[in-house]
Amino acid sequence: MTVSIKNIITACTFTLVSGFVSADKQLIHAGQLLAIPGEAPRLEQSVLIEDDKILWIKNGFVEVNDAKLIDLKNSFVMPGLMDMHVHLQFELGPDNDKEALKMSDELMAMRSTHYALKTLQAGFTTVRDLGSNPQYMYALRDSIERGWVDGPRIIAAGGVGITGGHTDVSGMRHDLMEYYTTKQICDGPYDCRRAARQAIKYGGDLIKIASTGGVLTDRATGTGQQMTNDELIEVVSAAKSMGKKVAAHAHQEDGIVAALEAGVASIEHGSYAGPKAVKLFKKTGAYLVPTLLAGETVKRLAMESNFMSPEIKAKAIRVGGDMQSNFAKASKAGVKVAFGTDSGVSQHGINAQEAVLMHQAGMSEMDILVSATVNAADLIDRSKTLGTIESGKHADIIAMDNSPLENIEELLDVDFVMKGGTIYKY
């Protein structure tokens, strides 16, 4: 039998118009469902997903004839986790100096796809990358968004730092430092305004600054305030005028206070937040992103290995040893917390260990889950689409055997991962 091109086109048109090609539907039967962290979980719930969105949630194990059934009747189901501080392009270790010289940017970009997939399979469906080779990170962000590679949804920062500060290059001979210094390094308020605008121009979703020195800066320049108040104000103002937020790396109280007074959206680490900083956190509504896992990691590596310089070792042991107890004080005082690990300093894929450390510091299991879902979504202005399992939101859903509300270590072994309606682990 001969079939004409005209008949094929007519048949295809009829199929599309008549609705024979239906949208993909998936039905989750959840034994326990924590749809909205902060509220009590519900038993025996059904969640219907069409394409990448949640259609509805209903009581009981209902049937939907045209939907593929995902049986999670024996599981605890909740929204996908979010990590507000990662570095997907590297992992701290003894080979970092060699890699900086021998690994091409292109190969580094390929490795970052590996780290991104490990992060997603650990149950983290959205991350904020706060410091990477920017164009390669923007490319990873965009290719994940297009579905070309698998990974978490990425909110990627453009960095702005001062000469000799934490985000400037260190630990190299002078000619290499000159070569690797980027145009995002600035001095003085107006130059920092320029750097912020440039970072946004080239693709930054937000701006990452360092108001204080850092542990991994290979200079004995301390962890107190380094970026001046007028520089901080200009960066925040420039970002705000373009609809972007600013995240500030800050360890000591003076730099935390200066960044909060300038109007940043989050403080990363906040290792020595004191009473004045706590008051400003509450006044401004800024989030603390604690990164306890990073502190624990650098302290352990400083004590057990020999690849760190004496300057870094001293800071790592001191700051890393103080972070958990100081976080406990800030959390108890009512500072808003958004979950963040600084993964890249720690290994990728073990992000949930941050939750264990937060719990050891006295934070409740529910508050930890809120920090990694509802609060994180608020910080990145995605509350309308992420952070909870509700009608109309992206189908970012994870599951584990037992409830992390009873044992937070359940987050270390996530069995089911869905992002945007696509299953990545089951």
Side-chain angles (χ1 to χ4, degrees):
M1 181 178 70
T2 302
V3 180
S4 70
I5 295 295
K6 179 179 179 181
N7 288 338
I8 293 173
I9 294 172
T10 302
C12 290
T13 304
F14 176 78
T15 299
L16 292 170
V17 171
S18 300
F20 288 107
V21 178
S22 61
D24 289 334
K25 289 184 180 179
Q26 300 176 87
L27 179 67
I28 293 176
H29 283 172
Q32 291 186 75
L33 177 67
L34 183 65
I36 303 175
E39 299 182 4
R42 301 194 297 263
L43 300 178
E44 297 188 358
Q45 299 290 299
S46 295
V47 182
L48 184 64
I49 297 150
E50 185 172 33
D51 295 329
D52 65 333
K53 298 290 198 311
I54 298 162
L55 281 185
W56 48 249
I57 302 98
K58 292 185 180 180
N59 293 324
F61 296 141
V62 303
E63 299 296 331
V64 177
N65 292 332
D66 61 343
K68 176 184 175 182
L69 179 62
I70 300 169
D71 186 356
L72 297 175
K73 291 178 183 175
N74 296 318
S75 299
F76 183 94
V77 180
M78 63 172 289
L81 299 168
M82 304 188 208
D83 190 330
M84 294 293 98
H85 193 132
V86 303
H87 303 279
L88 290 173
Q89 290 176 351
F90 83 101
E91 278 186 354
L92 181 64
D95 294 329
N96 290 154
D97 288 344
K98 180 175 71 175
E99 289 174 351
L101 293 175
K102 291 192 172 186
M103 182 176 286
S104 67
D105 288 344
E106 292 80 3
L107 185 57
M108 173 271 298
M110 294 298 100
R111 183 177 64 178
S112 68
T113 65
H114 169 63
Y115 291 151
L117 182 57
K118 288 181 70 173
T119 302
L120 177 60
Q121 291 180 333
F124 288 81
T125 53
T126 300
V127 300
R128 256 192 342 172
D129 190 289
L130 292 188
S132 291
N133 186 318
Q135 289 307 315
Y136 289 93
M137 184 49 57
Y138 303 156
L140 179 60
R141 172 196 65 192
D142 296 345
S143 28
I144 289 173
E145 187 67 23
R146 287 168 169 80
W148 297 346
V149 296
D150 295 336
R153 195 173 286 103
I154 295 174
I155 313 300
V160 172
I162 58 168
T163 299
H166 177 56
T167 58
D168 200 0
V169 290
S170 62
M172 300 179 183
R173 66 192 214 197
H174 67 89
D175 54 335
L176 289 178
M177 284 198 286
E178 183 176 352
Y179 177 78
Y180 282 113
T181 298
T182 74
K183 293 181 180 179
Q184 306 315 121
I185 297 301
C186 60
D187 290 291
Y190 306 122
D191 192 29
C192 288
R193 178 199 293 172
R194 171 205 57 80
R197 289 172 172 170
Q198 184 166 355
I200 294 168
K201 171 184 176 179
Y202 285 100
D205 295 315
L206 73 155
I207 298 296
K208 160 75 177 302
I209 58 173
S211 62
T212 74
V215 170
L216 296 180
T217 302
D218 200 357
R219 287 183 283 266
T221 47
T223 54
Q225 183 177 351
Q226 293 178 353
M227 204 169 191
T228 60
N229 291 26
D230 55 355
E231 290 170 333
L232 290 165
I233 290 168
E234 285 298 332
V235 170
V236 173
S237 176
K240 185 178 180 180
S241 69
M242 294 184 175
K244 306 297 182 182
K245 289 184 173 181
V246 177
H249 157 110
H251 285 296
Q252 298 289 348
E253 168 90 339
D254 56 354
I256 298 171
V257 168
L260 290 171
E261 288 179 337
V264 301
S266 66
I267 295 291
E268 314 300 308
H269 318 304
S271 308
Y272 297 99
K276 188 173 181 180
V278 167
K279 289 180 182 178
L280 280 169
F281 270 114
K282 292 181 176 181
K283 178 181 178 181
T284 64
Y287 280 95
L288 171 63
V289 181
T291 69
L292 303 181
L293 183 55
E296 188 70 17
T297 299
V298 296
K299 181 181 70 173
R300 175 178 55 80
L301 290 175
M303 297 174 70
E304 297 177 0
S305 63
N306 292 312
F307 71 90
M308 292 178 174
S309 69
E311 291 80 8
I312 292 177
K313 271 192 174 185
K315 290 182 287 184
I317 292 170
R318 176 175 58 83
V319 179
D322 291 339
M323 287 178 73
Q324 193 173 41
S325 60
N326 286 331
F327 166 71
K329 297 174 185 176
S331 174
K332 188 176 181 180
V335 171
K336 291 198 304 183
V337 176
F339 189 100
T341 61
D342 211 354
S343 289
V345 174
S346 56
Q347 293 179 347
H348 296 286
I350 64 168
N351 309 56
Q353 287 189 10
E354 178 79 17
V356 177
L357 295 170
M358 293 166 79
H359 189 251
Q360 290 174 358
M363 199 171 194
S364 73
E365 292 90 345
M366 183 64 88
D367 285 344
I368 293 169
L369 298 188
V370 169
S371 78
T373 54
V374 175
N375 286 2
D378 180 51
L379 175 55
I380 59 175
D381 294 328
R382 301 287 184 95
S383 295
K384 292 183 179 179
T385 56
L386 300 172
T388 62
I389 298 175
E390 295 181 278
S391 175
K393 292 195 173 184
H394 288 302
D396 288 10
I397 298 171
I398 65 171
M400 56 224 73
D401 289 338
N402 300 296
S403 172
L405 294 172
E406 297 175 6
N407 180 5
I408 199 65
E409 293 190 9
E410 289 294 325
L411 295 180
L412 300 174
D413 188 17
V414 171
D415 302 298
F416 174 86
V417 178
M418 171 185 281
K419 190 198 85 176
T422 298
I423 297 172
Y424 293 92
K425 186 177 183 181
Y426 190 10

